[in-house]
Amino acid sequence: MTGATQDEMLLELRALVPEASNCVRILDQTELPWRVRERRLDSLDAVVEAIRTLAVRGAPLIGAAAAFGCALALSRAARADDGVLAQALATLAATRPTAVNLQWALARMAARLRPLPPSARAEAAWAEAQAILDEDAASCAAIGRHGLALLLECGGSGHDRRPLQIMTHCNAGWLATAAYGTALAPVYAAHARGVDMHVWVSETRPRNQGLLTAWELARAGVAHTLVADSAAGWLLATGQVDIVLVGADRIATNGDVANKIGTYLKALAAGDRGVPFCVAAPIATIDWACTHGDAIPIEARDGDELRWQSSAEGPVRVAGADTAVANPAFDITPARLVTAIISERGIARAARLAADLAAWRPGDGPARGGHGPGG
Ligand code: MRU
C-alpha cells in the first residue's frame, strides 16, 4: 500500500477494523491480489453484501463481521426493539451456510442483547462485536504458538536437511480472521523464529483464495510456490511435502472437518503417503450440536464463479454461459484422515480426537450448545 498513512497500515495486517461505532473498514478481498482497496461498511445491508460476495471471507472473519453487522443495524434503528434485532440476526444468518463461526457469533450477540432494554442495545452490541474480534485475534495468536510446536515436530525429518515443506489450501491467513490467521498463524510464528521452510500454496479454484495466501506470504517474506490444485497429489506422492496444514469452516464433535473444496483430496493423498494432515481453527469453529460431518451444510455457490475468472485485467470468461456447472464450496474430510486439530487450547491428536475436542467444550454460557441465533 504505497504512501499509506499509519492508520491505513493497520489494514495491512487486519482485514477488518472497527471505527467509532458507526462503521467498519475492510480490505475488499474480491479485489486482491490485484488491487489493495479499502471499503467502509456502515449498514447491515453493506455487511450482508460484503459477506455474500466474499469481500469479507474466512470463517472467523465472517463471524466477527456479522457481529458488527448486527451492531450497525441496532445503531441505525430508531428503536432497537426485538423485531429489529431478530430481523438483523436472521438476515445475517442467511448469508452463508457452512462456516459455523457465523452462527456462533450471532448466537452470542443474541444472548448478550436480548435481555437488554432497546436503549442499551446498540452500545452493548458494538462492545460485544469488538470482544468477538479481539478474542479471535488472541485465539489465532495462541493457535500460532501451539501450531509452531507441531511444525517443529514435523521439521528436519531428513530429506537432505531441506527446508520444512508445508502445503496449505485456500486462505486461512490474517485476511480470513481478526489477525494472524489459523493455518498461517503457525507459519508466521515459525518464520519469526527463523525456521527454514517453504509453503506449497494451492490455487483453490474457483475463487482462487490461494492467490490471497500467496499475497500474504509474499508480504511476510515467507518462501512459497503456487501450484494448481491438481498438483497436490503428485507433490505428496513424491515426498515433497512434510505436513499439510489447513483451516476449517466447521468441525463436528467426532473430528470430521468441513473446509474449502479440494481439502478432502489433499487429506486422501496425505493419508496414503503418511504425511501429517493437520487442521487449525479456533474453538468457535467446532459445532457442538453436530456429531458427524454428514450433518454439515455445504454451500452451493453460483455457477458463474466457474464460468468467469478474476484477473488483473478484470473478469475473464472461461466457460460458456450455457455450460452446466456445479460449484460446491466446501467438502468434508473424515476424522480418520485428520492427524491433529490445533486450537487456542492446544493440539487434539488423531488417536483421541473426539475426546480431546470434548475437553475444549466451553462451559455454560452463550458459546455452548447449538449455534443458531436462538442459542
Ligand atoms: O473464502 P471462503 O470464506 O469461502 O472460505 C473459507 C476459508 O477461508 C477456508 O475454508 C479456510 O481454510 C477456513 S477459514 C480460516
Side-chain angles (χ1 to χ4, degrees):
M1 208 185 282
T2 321
T5 66
Q6 197 181 359
D7 206 26
E8 283 169 337
M9 294 286 286
L10 190 60
L11 272 176
E12 292 199 3
L13 294 168
R14 302 275 170 148
L16 184 154
V17 175
E19 217 172 57
S21 78
N22 59 11
C23 112
V24 293
R25 292 156 55 206
I26 62 158
L27 279 183
D28 186 341
Q29 300 193 36
T30 63
E31 301 267 357
L32 290 172
W34 319 115
R35 282 165 293 278
V36 177
R37 193 160 291 166
E38 182 185 314
R39 274 175 58 189
R40 291 180 139 71
L41 311 179
D42 63 358
S43 67
L44 171 66
D45 289 350
V47 171
V48 164
E49 189 266 347
I51 295 174
R52 280 209 178 109
T53 59
L54 308 198
V56 166
R57 47 152 296 283
L61 191 68
I62 292 170
F68 280 106
C70 174
L72 286 167
L74 298 181
S75 67
R76 299 266 177 242
R79 187 177 140 80
D81 59 23
D82 289 355
V84 170
L85 177 58
Q87 177 66 31
L89 294 171
T91 306
L92 288 158
T95 50
R96 298 196 66 190
T98 303
V100 78
N101 309 60
L102 172 69
Q103 314 301 336
W104 170 85
L106 294 175
R108 182 166 155 172
M109 295 298 280
R112 172 77 184 102
L113 300 172
R114 278 189 185 130
L116 299 179
S119 59
R121 283 178 175 167
E123 194 178 331
W126 198 265
E128 195 67 11
Q130 182 71 58
I132 287 171
L133 190 70
D134 293 345
E135 287 168 29
D136 185 57
S139 293
C140 289
I143 287 170
R145 290 191 293 275
H146 296 304
L148 171 62
L150 198 62
L151 288 183
L152 294 176
E153 274 176 31
C154 297
S157 57
H159 297 112
D160 305 326
R161 284 204 216 123
R162 66 176 189 195
L164 174 65
Q165 298 291 327
I166 302 163
M167 174 178 282
T168 193
H169 187 59
C170 194
N171 170 260
W174 60 264
L175 284 167
T177 64
Y180 313 114
T182 52
L184 291 193
V187 171
Y188 290 136
H191 184 61
R193 191 64 99 75
V195 174
D196 189 16
M197 66 187 171
H198 165 265
V199 184
W200 296 107
V201 177
S202 56
E203 197 179 18
T204 315
R205 287 270 284 145
R207 290 290 292 247
N208 293 334
Q209 286 96 333
L211 296 183
L212 303 178
T213 296
W215 180 80
E216 277 197 35
L217 294 176
R219 295 175 75 81
V222 178
H224 62 282
T225 304
L226 182 71
V227 293
D229 296 324
S230 42
W234 174 248
L235 293 171
L236 283 153
T238 49
Q240 299 185 66
V241 181
D242 297 316
I243 179 172
V244 179
L245 183 52
V246 299
D249 293 85
R250 191 183 298 224
I251 300 173
T253 56
N254 70 341
D256 290 351
V257 173
N259 193 51
K260 181 55 59 185
I261 194 80
T263 302
Y264 173 52
L265 286 174
K266 288 183 174 62
L268 279 173
D272 188 46
R273 296 297 171 155
V275 175
F277 176 88
C278 302
V279 176
I283 288 169
T285 306
I286 303 171
D287 185 348
W288 302 107
C290 177
T291 58
H292 201 274
D294 287 351
I296 298 177
I298 298 298
E299 181 176 10
R301 292 192 62 86
D302 196 310
D304 276 351
E305 290 188 344
L306 271 96
R307 297 187 190 98
W308 293 84
Q309 282 292 286
S310 76
S311 79
E313 282 77 42
V316 175
R317 180 178 280 288
V318 292
D322 55 352
T323 306
V325 297
N327 188 13
F330 300 93
D331 59 28
I332 307 291
T333 297
R336 67 185 149 77
L337 296 176
V338 176
T339 309
I341 295 178
I342 310 156
S343 83
E344 64 270 37
R345 292 278 302 276
I347 301 174
R349 305 271 180 175
R352 31 176 294 117
L353 205 53
D356 284 353
L357 294 186
W360 293 341
R361 185 168 179 150
D364 288 332
R368 182 164 190 160
H371 283 293

